Amino acid sequence: MSSTKSMRMNVKMNEQEVDDVAFLTGEAMAGNKRVLYERDRIAVCSQKRALILALFVFFTLFLIALIIAFATPLSGCSLHDIPPFDGTGYPEMADSDKFLLPTGEEYPWRDSRLLPFVKPLRYTISIHPNLTTLDVTGWVVIHFIVEKETSFIIIHARNMKIMEKWVREGVDQWSLDPEKVQNISRLLEYKPFQQWYIEFSDGSCLYPGKNYSLGIRFQTRISQELEGFYLSSYTTAKGEKRLLATTHFEPTYARSAFPCFDEPQFKATFKMIITRNQNHKSLFNMPIKKIETVYYGYNVELWRDEFEESVAMSTYLVAFVVCDYESISNKTLKLIEVSIHTPPGLLNQATFALHAAVNLMDFYDEFFGIPYPLPKQDLIAIPDFGAGAMENWGLITYRETSILYDSIESSSAAHQWVAVVVAHELAHQWFGNLVTMIWWNDLWLNEGFASFAEYVGVDHIRPEWKMMEQFVLEKTQPALALDALSSSHPISVSVQDPKSIESIFDTISYSKGAAILRMLESVIGEETLRRGLTEYLNKHKFQNANTDDLWNALSQSTNGSIEVKTIMDSWTLQMGFPLVKVRLENRTVKVKQERFILQPFAANRSEEMEPLKDSSWHIPLTYITALQPSTMSVKWINTTEESDLPISLRADWIKFNVNQTGFYRVQYEKSMWDSLINVLITNHNVFSPTDRANLIDDAFTLSKAGIINATIPLEMSKYLKKETEYVPWATALEHFRSWTKILYEKPAHRLLIAFMLELLDPIYKNIGWSDSGTHLTRLLRGDVLAAIIHCDNKEAIREARNRFTSWIEKNVRVPPNLREVVYSADTSMPVWTGIASDLRT
């Protein structure tokens, strides 16, 4: 890495840059103060008078000392601002000896959270990464204010060496006025909290109503983990390995790249400066403002990219990349430039993502009622990426499989995955970036909504994919399966330290959050939901908000007709979900709720349920009947007491939880199950595909829990001989897979396989092996073929073997939607045995 000295020798610096060097090194503050007073003459007095004067001075000083020692100051600041440890932060740190530093000093701050009254306004960051040595040098200037008088501040920094630091009054970072400099008496690092404690000298304080600047020059390293500012690489078509450096800061890794206030509520603007090799380019959340050549040397040329200042955002949304990628671009209807960046040679696989991104940006502009606030939107493929993607504002990072799609070599599932992930991250640009949660306990507010909006968005650009039908398959059903366990957790949970924060990035936050928002939309309506979202985003844009702020906005959008907070708190603040029990009595339909917990075949099920019997939810119980199969009705139930429904018993059947929009399960009494099964057998199209999937899902799950007899889901499954839709079949096959595992090596396993073969035979013959048809047909074909081969259908296995042999021996291409089935059909074939042997050696 080129030294700073050589850079200075080869660059003509302007006045501001000269000040920058002095500002960072502190050289301008090394001068001596002028003497303010000089003695002109010597005072002469008698010995007696001198003794009296000396005694007077002594007693005066003694009195002043007493006052200082015991009197309570009327103003000023001291360490009294430090609160006692209240158990928040890291629980294991409760003992005071846990706060002892290697030096023997005790760390004064006992909370993993930062001071709430010290608020950053603007960051200016300069970094120079060396992708060969992995060294990073940089500096940061943070402009901030305090809302409370304080003698110390706390920032986040991790795995970095602080070379120089200062705090001064004012936002002019180039000021050299020593009178405005705050003298720092202590700088303490506490690694468990990833904090730096900066304390000022006695009598030196920061006051409300003033602006301050914190300057730090630091050294760190490019990480080789998939977090912070880290190293990645790709291999060219010629086999050459090339390096790039990228970022992933969510939830708490920005502090690994530069000192900062690394909590989501501390929004600020960011101005970025990156020094790089001439063979690379750099990307940031904002467009480049200026490029300068800063160093010429033998085979080395360094360029400095200065970017436009960002809008106010949280640190976890900051992103920058140094790479040698290629890009393609297009513009939205509002002329926002959207670009996809990929390693050389892969741009042909980025066209679908670019087309989808542009269309989704236009849709979300309209859906949220607020224009996208940045001048550009970059999407970049990262070879080594831990998450599927990250919604950095204006610079979204993606795993390659989440953004690249090859129309010849990618499967239909991969095609859909790219669209869904692109939609998810773009939805975050409004919901999560424009308005951000105050703290991570409301993570679900970001992820749950984006997980809901991704399906709404893709459904708009690809209506033939029927994404809102697939929603129950991909979101609702997996969330119900996980939330039925006693080990689940509420959507909104209290978290403090980085480890506990990362633990809540799970199905509950994402999928259950999405499912309850869809449930709410089904009750208040799409237009009312959108109106409330627009109000929420407009009111809190470029700021932070919590769950209650969203509920209040949605309540207002209903004109106060629905208390959204009261309803939704029952779904976000407690774990689990209800089982609605339905029965008939004296020509009346009676319903009752209790918490559903999956404890299959447990002898102590009643004991497990006892502590949970008082759990209740505000349930929008939707239903259709034989008399009005196309008209949905809603009945709200919010207690554990049994209640009556106004339903005419002239109806032959009643189906609850229409289209599985509700996040609950329904247990019918036996006669009601029989009525529903009869409808499925005689004319299953009376119910929508999602209603059919819902009935299958509830019946199999309740049987697994030991609540209903297994004959109910088995009798219901017989209708599948006539089923041709993807979502009901995918739901059923998932449950059958579970049953085959449970019954494996038991006598009933053979009977189950024979039953499945009987159900699968009609759809297998109908769907065949040709990789053709609609998107959903292709998805269905993969599931059906995998299932029938699993059930040992000889014809299907023979066909898979033939296709595999033709691929190996004659290089006959296997279509991407059939590859998983063909490759896994029979691993006992000689070629697979050889491959396995090669792998072992």
Side-chain angles (χ1 to χ4, degrees), residues 535-588:
E535 171 64 24
Y536 167 80
L537 293 172
N538 268 319
K539 183 176 181 180
H540 302 285
K541 60 185 176 183
F542 304 114
Q543 299 175 19
N544 298 86
N546 57 31
T547 300
D548 286 352
D549 293 320
L550 176 61
W551 298 155
N552 291 336
L554 292 175
S555 291
Q556 291 176 14
S557 71
T558 68
N559 297 317
S561 61
I562 297 179
E563 288 292 332
V564 175
K565 173 177 166 52
T566 301
I567 293 167
M568 299 306 288
D569 277 355
S570 68
W571 297 94
T572 61
L573 301 181
Q574 62 181 339
M575 63 187 287
F577 60 87
L579 171 67
V580 177
K581 307 176 78 170
V582 185
R583 67 185 185 90
L584 301 176
E585 182 180 294
N586 298 327
R587 303 182 61 80
T588 301

Side-chain angles (χ1 to χ4, degrees), residues 259-317:
C260 58
F261 295 79
D262 198 13
E263 295 179 6
Q265 74 270 27
F266 294 128
K267 285 196 169 186
T269 63
F270 292 81
K271 183 178 179 181
M272 193 75 197
I273 303 166
I274 299 176
T275 302
R276 59 175 173 85
N277 186 289
Q278 80 274 16
N279 296 322
H280 289 135
K281 67 178 180 180
S282 66
L283 300 170
F284 177 58
N285 303 79
M286 298 293 288
I288 285 183
K289 177 181 180 181
K290 181 171 60 176
I291 301 176
E292 293 179 324
T293 302
V294 295
Y295 176 76
Y296 296 98
Y298 181 70
N299 288 333
V300 176
E301 187 174 325
L302 296 179
W303 290 3
R304 181 170 61 198
D305 298 335
E306 181 179 336
F307 294 85
E308 299 282 354
E309 187 168 348
S310 77
V311 297
M313 61 183 180
S314 302
T315 50
Y316 80 89
L317 295 172

Side-chain angles (χ1 to χ4, degrees), residues 454-467:
E454 70 190 35
Y455 276 74
V456 176
V458 178
D459 192 57
H460 174 79
I461 66 171
R462 292 281 179 164
E464 70 276 13
W465 289 2
K466 300 180 181 179
M467 293 302 294

Side-chain angles (χ1 to χ4, degrees), residues 674-746:
D674 291 342
S675 298
L676 293 169
I677 292 171
N678 182 61
V679 175
L680 288 171
I681 297 294
T682 56
N683 183 13
H684 64 277
N685 287 316
V686 169
F687 299 132
S688 68
T690 46
D691 271 331
R692 303 198 295 268
N694 173 217
L695 288 170
I696 292 169
D697 190 41
D698 277 357
F700 273 90
T701 303
L702 294 178
S703 173
K704 183 178 181 180
I707 295 175
I708 64 174
N709 194 284
T711 58
I712 291 177
L714 290 174
E715 286 296 318
M716 180 182 292
S717 299
K718 291 180 179 179
Y719 103 89
L720 289 170
K721 295 177 183 179
K722 300 178 182 179
E723 182 62 81
T724 59
E725 294 287 340
Y726 170 61
V727 171
W729 261 115
T731 301
L733 291 175
E734 181 64 26
H735 285 289
F736 275 125
R737 274 191 290 269
S738 176
W739 277 34
T740 59
K741 292 177 183 177
I742 293 171
L743 297 177
Y744 189 68
E745 293 186 343
K746 293 182 173 62

Side-chain angles (χ1 to χ4, degrees), residues 161-178:
K161 183 178 181 181
I162 294 183
M163 309 301 294
E164 297 182 41
K165 75 282 181 188
W166 49 255
V167 175
R168 63 164 56 108
E169 182 184 336
V171 297
D172 181 6
Q173 62 197 50
W174 315 111
S175 172
L176 304 177
D177 186 356

Side-chain angles (χ1 to χ4, degrees), residues 407-481:
S407 59
I408 297 176
E409 296 300 324
S410 299
S411 66
S412 296
H415 193 188
Q416 180 173 306
W417 175 250
V418 170
V420 166
V421 178
V422 169
H424 181 102
E425 306 309 328
L426 288 175
H428 271 310
Q429 307 301 293
W430 285 263
F431 211 98
N433 296 6
L434 183 64
V435 179
T436 309
M437 74 248 154
I438 294 174
W439 183 242
W440 297 104
N441 58 296
D442 281 329
L443 170 71
W444 85 271
L445 199 60
N446 279 13
E447 298 301 346
F449 186 85
S451 297
F452 168 70
E454 70 190 35
Y455 276 74
V456 176
V458 178
D459 192 57
H460 174 79
I461 66 171
R462 292 281 179 164
E464 70 276 13
W465 289 2
K466 300 180 181 179
M467 293 302 294
M468 298 318 292
E469 286 186 10
Q470 293 193 61
F471 184 94
V472 302
L473 182 68
E474 303 295 340
K475 300 297 181 185
T476 306
Q477 292 176 8
L480 286 168

Side-chain angles (χ1 to χ4, degrees), residues 802-821:
N802 290 340
R803 288 173 178 264
F804 183 84
T805 302
S806 296
W807 171 59
I808 291 294
E809 296 179 356
K810 302 177 183 179
N811 199 28
V812 176
R813 178 176 173 270
V814 179
N817 289 305
L818 301 181
R819 286 174 186 168
E820 184 176 354
V821 172

